[in-house]
Amino acid sequence: MEIAQAQQLWKPEPGWLNTASYGLPPEPGWTALQDSLAQWRVGSTSWEGWGESVQRSRTAFAGLIGVPDVDVAVGATVSQMLAPVAASLPAGATVVVPDIEFTSNLFPWLVQQERGITVRTVPVDGLVDAIDADTDVVAFSLVQSSDGAVAAYDEIVAAARAQGALVVVDATQACGWLPFDGSRADVVAVGGYKWLMNPRGTAYAYLAPALRERLRPDAAGWFAGQDPHASYYGLPLRLADDARRFDISPAWFSWVGAAPAMDLVAEIGVPAIQAHNVALANRFLTGLGRPAGDSAIVAVDVPDAEQRLAAAGIRAAVRAGRVRASFHLYSTEADVDAALTALVG
């Protein structure tokens, strides 16, 4: 599907430049969600059909990052998906994290400090050089939330492998617009409600098979069973033998809205989405006299930016006094130009 054709599936108010905060649902996802809510309201169906959206979403996510769907667990938040990884680290382990990392990929490691885990933060552009023989885990965002910086993925992975360190990637701000090979990491965790345009309450995690052997599924329930529908009651423990043992019971309606959005991203293709998004981001940067970049998220210093954008009806984020603008499928050149008019006249 071409971008121009796909854009007909959204109806945003002009000026939405904040997908880095949350993505907007395409019409198929919105409609599926409304239909399921109407069914819930009157009790016209059982829940199993809603539950099928989970596997559909899982399979689509696996395809986007190039991993088998049996190696993907589903949950609700990135920090929840990372918790068993952090809990599995032996006492004395060292985790290296960028100093501007979003806390969903920082707090899970920090809460293990009482067990003797060391968390060392370094400048994001010095991450590769900071990986040494004492490093057990390298945890980083593929794209930084604060400023859109794209990590040197291949270089970081190579440096980590040279030291025998695990690679844990938060791809929440990347997956859906930035192509990458998830199988090169040990863990790839993604919150679905941003660039994948899922309802909030969906998260995905690729967990490499070798790593899973070290993890304990402390949140296991019926949905983590080998056959969830045969796991409602009683002994024995009978968990799935793949990544599903780390699933948590799904928030049905979030997944009903997620599946059509996931299918649509796959149909359009991440490379095409990347080209569209980055072109708009660079149009914005050029209009402000800044050099072009390689990200769909940009952060710039502009005096009185928050007030100027608000007065023009432009919805972008302001982080530490900097404008953070983010551009996705439904963003247009008109959105960019309206923001530039507001900021520079």
Side-chain angles (χ1 to χ4, degrees):
M1 182 183 294
E2 299 293 329
I3 296 288
Q5 180 185 2
Q7 285 184 326
Q8 303 306 307
L9 299 175
W10 283 269
K11 298 179 174 63
E13 293 183 7
W16 177 254
L17 299 179
N18 201 12
T19 295
S21 290
Y22 68 86
L24 307 184
E27 193 64 31
W30 175 258
T31 299
L33 177 57
Q34 302 314 305
D35 289 347
S36 66
L37 291 174
Q39 293 168 340
W40 173 44
R41 185 181 189 188
V42 298
S44 63
T45 188
S46 188
W47 59 270
E48 288 84 359
W50 304 333
E52 292 172 359
S53 297
V54 178
Q55 185 59 37
R56 183 174 154 198
S57 301
R58 187 199 315 267
T59 299
F61 172 79
L64 290 178
I65 70 168
V67 301
D69 63 2
V70 294
D71 294 333
V72 173
V74 298
T77 66
V78 165
S79 57
Q80 170 249 316
M81 306 302 286
L82 295 181
V85 183
S88 75
L89 297 181
T94 296
V95 184
V96 177
V97 188
D99 55 9
I100 60 170
E101 190 71 11
F102 193 78
T103 49
S104 290
N105 191 21
L106 180 59
F107 284 5
W109 315 107
L110 289 173
V111 298
Q112 302 295 330
Q113 287 181 315
E114 63 184 26
R115 297 196 300 109
I117 305 302
T118 298
V119 178
R120 181 158 55 94
T121 60
V122 300
V124 65
D125 57 2
L127 187 58
V128 171
D129 293 335
I131 300 168
D132 57 22
D134 294 328
T135 304
D136 297 285
V137 180
V138 183
F140 64 98
S141 289
L142 189 54
V143 174
Q144 284 293 335
S145 169
S146 59
D147 61 5
V150 179
Y153 184 53
D154 292 341
E155 290 85 348
I156 294 169
V157 170
R161 297 304 181 218
Q163 301 295 345
L166 293 173
V167 175
V168 178
V169 180
D170 179 350
T172 299
Q173 295 289 8
C175 191
W177 75 265
L178 183 67
F180 68 100
D181 180 0
S183 69
R184 301 200 61 210
D186 298 289
V187 179
V188 177
V190 173
Y193 70 100
K194 297 181 186 286
W195 302 90
L196 295 175
M197 301 167 292
N198 295 189
R200 188 164 171 85
T202 62
Y204 308 82
Y206 164 66
L207 301 172
L211 173 66
R212 291 203 303 270
E213 297 176 1
R214 299 166 47 178
L215 309 184
R216 190 175 66 185
D218 287 337
W222 71 275
F223 199 70
Q226 183 64 35
D227 178 359
H229 300 294
S231 302
Y232 296 153
Y233 307 109
L235 298 174
L237 181 65
R238 46 199 186 276
L239 298 182
D241 57 10
D242 56 21
R244 290 195 305 104
R245 63 173 41 212
F246 297 96
D247 286 2
I248 63 170
S249 183
W252 293 320
F253 306 113
S254 293
W255 292 100
V256 167
M262 299 297 288
D263 291 343
L264 186 59
V265 171
E267 181 179 357
I268 298 167
V270 175
I273 297 171
Q274 178 189 30
H276 170 80
N277 292 5
V278 174
L280 291 179
N282 285 338
R283 183 184 182 93
F284 181 73
L285 289 171
T286 300
L288 292 173
R290 271 69 165 184
D294 60 356
S295 182
I297 305 172
V298 299
V300 293
D301 291 305
V302 178
D304 302 319
E306 189 167 12
Q307 295 82 357
R308 292 184 182 193
L309 292 173
I314 307 297
R315 284 93 66 212
V318 177
R319 297 287 185 268
R322 305 178 78 198
V323 177
R324 186 191 71 181
S326 42
F327 307 86
H328 203 18
L329 275 163
Y330 34 72
S331 305
T332 66
E333 291 184 351
D335 291 322
V336 176
D337 294 344
L340 291 172
T341 298
L343 292 173
V344 299

